Amino acid sequence: MTEQKKKSISLSSKLKSSLDFLFPFLIIGIVWEILVQTGIIELRSLPAPSTLLAKFWELTFVNGILWKHLGSSLYRLATGYLLAVLIGTALGALLAQKPLLHDMFEPSLNLLMSVPTIAWIPIFLITLGLGDKTVIIAIFTSSFFAITYNTMRGIEMIDKSIVNAAHLMGLHGLNLFLEVLLPASMLSIINGLRLAIGYAWRALVGGELLAAMIEWGLGKMVYQARYFNDASVMLLGLLIIGITGFLLDKTFLTILERNTVEKWGMTAKK
Amino acid sequence: MRRKIFLAILPIVIFLLAWEVSARLEWVNPVLFPAPSAILNELVDLFQEGLPAHSILINHTLATLKRLGIGFSVGVLAGVLMGVLMGLSNPSFHFFNPLILVLMSIPGIALAPLFIIWLGFGDPTIITLGALSTFFPVVYSTTTGVRSVDRQMVRAAQIMGASRLQVITSVYIPWSAAFVFNGIKLGLARGWMTVIAVEFVAASNYGLGYMIWYATERLKADVVYAGILVMILIYFILDKLLIGNVEKKTISRWGMITQKQEE
Amino acid sequence: MDPIIQIQDLYKTFTENDKELVALDHINLDIPRNQFTVLIGPSGCGKTTLLNTIAGFEKATSGKILLDGKPILKPAPDRGYVFQDYALFPWLTVLGNITFGLTHNGWEKKGAEEKAREYIDLVHLQGFEEAYPHTLSGGMKQRVAIARALAYNPEVLLMDEPFGALDAQTRKHMQRELVKILEKEQKTVVFVTHSVIEAVFLADLVIVMTARPGKVKGMVKIDLPRKRSYVEDHYLHYREQILELLEEEVEKGFED
Ligand SMILES: Nc1ncnc2c1ncn2[C@@H]1O[C@H](COP(=O)(O)OP(=O)(O)OP(=O)(O)O)[C@@H](O)[C@H]1O
Ligand SMILES: [Mg+2]
């Protein structure tokens, strides 16, 4: 099969699978719309999909409020999460290389990793205030431990002969880390990143919702709508939270995975 | 071994000591960072408050546990049933899977405002959201488990005379057990988190989350820390004692835990 | 000859990615009763497919298979199947695995366990009744699988490369064991293998299949006493005969 043919097939199959994915949403939307239009269900707190679409139009293209909410959320997420990735992988690598540090911190790390995300938020609200800082640090904290732990485990499980070979070739320090340790432990690191993005997403939405001084953000959008009893804004916000959370995992992590461990044939075990 | 335990405890002890000292010497604001001893004191106070008739702390905790208990049970039951259905029937998998993937990305607390409109403050909203957040990981794992059933094993059962229903009970369900447990563990973590988080915003007067949030808004840091400590402890107890034990008697004994699955 | 299984004009296709693939091409074959029949052929020629259609796991596209004159429609306990990768239930003990076929066929628990113990003795696994499969070696697992398939007394035993995953030593040992077991248990066996040596050691009748699409290329009757050695002259003669039939097909398989 030629390259081009392969590509066009994978493209059309991609299109087909995204259509398959959207199909149930479409069906539910239509059924729901019919139920509301014919008056079979009549609830002020359950708006019809057409109302939601109109609202969506208004919030995106008329006043653009939705973009502002989404933008603030993504900004916070990116700041907290990337910070956790940077510091977490570095610390994980350090712990993996020094047995003494490993023995000292592995148990605490394990413990801290299983502390529910929601536990951090009140603590940070009290100590850091009710604004942006709290949310970003909550995102950082809830993703940091999982990333550190999985990086550490990943590097510790690397075949010793690979590391020895690298030493023989004269690799040390940062070069050794970037060129050998990082790729060799990628499977475990991605595992950590995936866990962490889920935690971070929860911390973000929860934090935005609970931090009183925050005005913008998807969590706030949903929470504020409560004061106006505006179920359509709420439903819209929730839908966008769900879709964005899902896409974060599906796009960014899947792309990373495809370009690293899958390309290197490290996922055969699955 | 002893060395390992010593090394593991060392940083925790140093951290707590440093905290204790800096709080006492007021290097940090003791209102925001009350000393560990003060937190423990508060914990005892909370426990004793209202004794002998009842204990405030226990009342809050029981209220939360009751909500979790109902929500979690409903979530697990519905999740396993739905997961088996989705695992066995391809059309239902293709229909529900996208919905579940998107819905499970919504943190439980974000659903609270909507459910408060629908069900009002208090138990109905908290329990429903606890059930929902348990439900999703359970469905997801159960479905994955049932869909991964070894076809040869199904065939082995069929040729030995097992009926359709017997194949489900004697092959599909035990096969999926490892996945279901993993889902239940995750579901418990999510359920516990969600119940407490929703209590922050939707509880009317009882619950650990209510207690923590009430204290947060009034900057009573010692109560907040004490509450969170209880919340974490209970979570560990539930996870290790309840689920860990069932796991040991089943999938570990069958050699079906290949690699430690992470939460 | 009194055939227990009659395969009549069996035709089987698979559809994958909208493409049709002929796996079995109009096969006509009689499997003799109470004899050991071996299916051999190049990889991908449809041996497993044929065995699975006899088992009732796969449906014929056209044509049919009769067992004692009645068409096979679905898997049923008048047949037993031994899988290459054992397919033991990891959540059941050795005893539990072997009683499975009995309790699902109307046996009381107690009687079933007694019966199962007989078969545990037969395959020399005394002392491992309560062991879980993951604690056993490959050879032991396959013994459990054989005991499990025999215990509920099916008329036909279907075996798909049952020793394929074992090391050479264990494999020879299991072949001898199987011969001994079948001396005690009169059974019709249909056995798939890649190994000509194994085929000649075990078979009364060897059926050689063509490269895909699978047809019957030829049959070789093995007229040797049950107790065989691997080195006798006759033995070598049969081996040559089968190899000749096979080689043509293997080459063909590589041509397309
Ligand atoms: N479920 C299936 N779907 C599609 N194609 C199949 C399926 N099962 C088998 N085939 C195809 O049918 C052909 C015959 O397969 P089969 O497994 O019966 O061969 P075999 O003789 O047992 O091979 P081997 O010696 O390698 O085990 C192969 O080309 C295989 O790819
Ligand atoms: Mg085969």
Side-chain angles (χ1 to χ4, degrees):
Chain A
M1 208 185 285
T2 62
E3 267 310 295
Q4 218 170 9
K5 235 181 180 175
K6 243 188 214 165
K7 248 187 202 148
S8 76
I9 284 180
S10 81
L11 213 72
S12 76
S13 77
K14 238 183 211 159
L15 191 70
K16 188 176 175 304
S17 73
S18 7
L19 284 180
D20 282 350
F21 193 89
L22 291 177
F23 177 73
F25 294 92
L26 206 69
I27 293 289
I28 288 191
I30 291 172
V31 171
W32 179 0
E33 183 72 40
I34 291 173
L35 287 178
V36 174
Q37 294 291 345
T38 55
I40 295 176
I41 48 172
E42 221 186 321
L43 273 176
R44 209 171 52 83
S45 48
L46 189 66
S50 53
T51 318
L52 285 186
L53 278 177
K55 199 69 177 179
F56 181 70
W57 185 263
E58 180 195 325
L59 294 182
T60 43
F61 300 112
V62 181
N63 57 23
I65 281 178
L66 186 66
W67 301 118
K68 217 163 160 184
H69 283 303
L70 184 64
S72 330
S73 284
L74 290 180
Y75 154 75
R76 289 184 193 112
L77 184 76
T79 315
Y81 185 71
L82 291 180
L83 217 58
V85 172
L86 274 178
I87 305 181
T89 38
L91 186 66
L94 180 74
L95 292 182
Q97 312 232 331
K98 306 271 183 258
L100 182 73
L101 291 183
H102 167 107
D103 287 352
M104 277 173 74
F105 292 107
E106 196 254 9
S108 319
L109 211 55
N110 214 334
L111 202 76
L112 287 168
M113 198 169 77
S114 21
V115 170
T117 313
I118 201 71
W120 298 110
I121 294 178
I123 298 181
F124 294 144
L125 283 174
I126 285 191
T127 54
L128 301 171
L130 309 177
D132 247 2
K133 213 174 7 169
T134 293
V135 179
I136 291 174
I137 297 289
I139 294 169
F140 171 83
T141 313
S142 50
S143 39
F144 170 73
F145 297 115
I147 295 174
T148 311
Y149 187 81
N150 280 280
T151 307
M152 182 187 78
R153 295 285 301 158
I155 293 180
E156 280 167 0
M157 284 188 306
I158 296 175
D159 193 347
K160 283 286 161 290
S161 55
I162 292 181
V163 183
N164 287 338
H167 277 306
L168 282 177
M169 288 184 260
L171 281 170
H172 290 287
L174 191 62
N175 280 341
L176 179 71
F177 175 68
L178 289 179
E179 288 172 38
V180 179
L181 301 185
L182 196 63
S185 55
M186 209 49 170
L187 205 59
S188 174
I189 293 181
I190 288 182
N191 204 0
L193 292 179
R194 175 159 282 143
L195 280 175
I197 196 85
Y199 296 158
W201 188 241
R202 267 150 229 285
L204 168 75
V205 175
E208 284 177 347
L209 206 137
L210 294 170
M213 306 283 284
I214 281 182
E215 286 173 48
W216 297 98
L218 294 171
K220 214 33 157 220
M221 173 178 164
V222 171
Y223 196 64
Q224 276 168 348
R226 208 182 91 188
Y227 299 118
F228 313 109
N229 252 336
D230 194 340
S232 57
V233 170
M234 249 179 225
L235 275 169
L236 210 55
L238 287 171
L239 216 55
I240 288 164
I241 289 175
I243 292 168
T244 315
F246 169 72
L247 285 180
L248 279 173
D249 186 298
K250 267 286 153 305
T251 53
F252 139 72
L253 276 170
T254 308
I255 289 170
L256 182 65
E257 208 163 39
R258 209 166 285 152
N259 287 304
T260 56
V261 287
E262 256 170 49
K263 203 161 95 191
W264 306 332
M266 290 165 76
T267 42
K269 265 184 289 177
K270 275 193 182 172
Chain B
M1 195 57 221
R2 201 172 278 175
R3 190 186 108 97
K4 273 217 162 143
I5 293 173
F6 171 74
L7 283 176
I9 294 175
L10 190 68
I12 301 174
V13 172
I14 293 178
F15 175 74
L16 289 177
L17 272 179
W19 182 358
E20 181 79 34
V21 171
S22 23
R24 293 217 177 180
L25 298 178
E26 303 206 0
W27 293 341
V28 295
N29 184 349
V31 178
L32 303 185
F33 299 96
S37 58
I39 295 173
L40 277 183
N41 255 331
E42 182 59 39
L43 197 61
V44 175
D45 283 351
L46 282 172
F47 175 74
Q48 286 176 338
E49 208 177 325
L51 284 180
H54 57 255
S55 149
I56 287 273
L57 183 63
I58 302 257
N59 279 2
H60 282 304
T61 310
L62 285 181
T64 304
L65 280 176
K66 194 191 87 193
R67 290 165 178 154
L68 176 74
I70 302 174
F72 177 73
S73 319
V74 173
V76 168
L77 203 70
V80 170
L81 286 178
M82 183 79 187
V84 170
L85 174 77
M86 282 173 62
L88 291 177
S89 132
N90 255 326
S92 75
F93 175 78
H94 289 299
F95 188 80
F96 290 114
N97 193 47
L99 299 171
I100 285 178
L101 285 176
V102 167
L103 290 178
M104 76 187 281
S105 305
I106 305 175
I109 190 174
L111 291 167
L114 186 65
F115 277 78
I116 291 174
I117 297 190
W118 286 347
L119 306 172
F121 284 85
D123 280 354
T125 290
I126 303 170
I127 291 173
T128 309
L129 290 180
L132 266 180
S133 45
T134 305
F135 172 78
F136 288 117
V138 175
V139 177
Y140 183 80
S141 306
T142 308
T143 306
T144 312
V146 173
R147 284 177 68 86
S148 75
V149 163
D150 187 345
R151 196 169 54 169
Q152 306 288 52
M153 248 169 238
V154 174
R155 289 176 161 176
Q158 283 173 340
I159 206 162
M160 286 190 277
S163 66
R164 233 185 113 69
L165 187 67
Q166 284 168 334
V167 170
I168 293 176
T169 55
S170 64
V171 180
Y172 279 95
I173 289 181
W175 174 277
S176 318
F179 293 84
V180 176
F181 278 129
N182 212 36
I184 291 179
K185 270 173 106 151
L186 251 175
L188 182 68
R190 290 272 170 84
W192 183 235
M193 253 168 76
T194 302
V195 165
I196 294 204
V198 174
E199 280 178 348
F200 286 175
V201 292
S204 22
N205 45 23
Y206 265 112
L208 216 47
Y210 172 81
M211 180 188 100
I212 294 171
W213 193 247
Y214 189 86
T216 306
E217 290 193 316
R218 281 154 193 77
L219 278 183
K220 291 169 85 176
D222 44 1
V223 179
V224 174
Y225 287 100
I228 286 174
L229 201 63
V230 173
M231 155 186 177
I232 292 172
L233 272 177
I234 289 180
Y235 169 64
F236 281 139
I237 292 170
L238 289 176
D239 184 61
K240 288 279 160 338
L241 287 188
L242 241 67
I243 296 184
N245 266 342
V246 182
E247 206 172 51
K248 232 175 264 158
K249 289 214 180 83
T250 55
I251 48 180
S252 327
R253 204 154 116 219
W254 307 334
M256 286 176 75
I257 295 189
T258 38
Q259 71 234 78
K260 193 86 191 120
Q261 290 151 315
E262 249 120 1
E263 272 147 51
Chain C
M1 194 180 68
D2 159 34
I4 181 167
I5 296 171
Q6 293 161 289
I7 301 171
Q8 297 176 347
D9 214 23
L10 180 68
Y11 184 72
K12 170 80 187 166
T13 59
F14 288 109
T15 323
E16 209 169 64
N17 302 331
D18 304 328
K19 269 191 297 184
E20 194 163 273
L21 183 143
V22 181
L24 298 174
D25 192 8
H26 298 286
I27 293 193
N28 285 289
L29 192 64
D30 284 347
I31 308 280
R33 187 183 299 275
N34 288 340
Q35 292 204 8
F36 201 114
T37 303
V38 165
L39 290 175
I40 196 165
S43 188
C45 73
K47 303 181 291 293
T48 301
T49 308
L50 180 55
L51 207 66
N52 284 349
T53 320
I54 300 175
F57 299 153
E58 304 273 8
K59 289 208 180 354
T61 309
S62 69
K64 59 184 165 190
I65 302 182
L66 305 177
L67 175 67
D68 277 329
K70 288 184 290 277
I72 287 174
L73 300 172
K74 56 175 193 172
D78 50 9
R79 282 147 283 158
Y81 201 111
V82 179
F83 299 85
Q84 173 169 1
D85 45 9
Y86 326 122
L88 297 175
F89 304 124
W91 50 89
L92 297 181
T93 59
V94 167
L95 193 67
N97 265 284
I98 300 175
T99 48
F100 190 99
L102 295 160
T103 48
H104 283 84
N105 284 295
W107 286 64
E108 289 299 319
K109 185 161 183 273
K110 198 152 164 281
E113 280 186 4
E114 254 165 51
K115 191 84 195 161
R117 277 175 212 284
E118 275 176 38
Y119 281 86
I120 287 176
D121 287 351
L122 185 70
V123 298
H124 304 299
L125 279 173
Q126 298 94 325
F128 290 96
E129 289 84 354
E130 298 306 322
Y132 282 94
H134 74 104
T135 62
L136 304 178
S137 73
M140 288 158 89
K141 281 183 201 159
Q142 200 53 289
R143 281 167 216 241
V144 179
I146 291 171
R148 180 175 76 170
L150 285 172
Y152 61 94
N153 196 25
E155 286 177 62
V156 182
L157 188 61
L158 307 168
M159 305 176 93
D160 188 9
E161 300 189 49
F163 307 143
L166 305 177
D167 65 85
Q169 284 305 321
T170 316
R171 187 172 185 156
K172 272 191 185 172
H173 181 72
M174 290 297 294
Q175 288 166 358
R176 289 202 199 92
E177 288 278 311
L178 183 62
V179 170
K180 274 193 217 152
I181 291 169
L182 291 172
E183 268 169 15
K184 292 179 208 154
E185 302 264 323
Q186 278 282 338
K187 278 277 173 290
T188 305
V189 182
V190 186
F191 187 106
V192 171
T193 184
H194 268 126
S195 157
V196 181
I197 302 180
E198 188 167 75
V200 178
F201 187 76
L202 293 170
D204 299 311
L205 176 67
V206 177
I207 293 166
V208 181
M209 290 176 66
T210 64
R212 210 187 65 218
K215 288 188 281 285
V216 176
K217 165 96 176 178
M219 297 196 209
V220 179
K221 254 187 122 120
I222 313 280
D223 249 330
L224 291 174
R226 257 288 130 225
K227 286 243 158 57
R228 298 172 192 177
S229 86
Y230 288 98
V231 285
E232 265 172 82
D233 277 357
H234 292 299
Y235 198 116
L236 294 177
H237 153 74
Y238 285 120
R239 238 193 254 176
E240 299 270 293
Q241 221 179 319
I242 296 167
L243 273 174
E244 230 165 77
L245 285 168
L246 260 180
E247 254 155 30
E248 285 174 38
E249 288 309 314
V250 174
E251 310 245 306
K252 239 200 274 172
F254 279 113
E255 272 158 26
D256 56 46

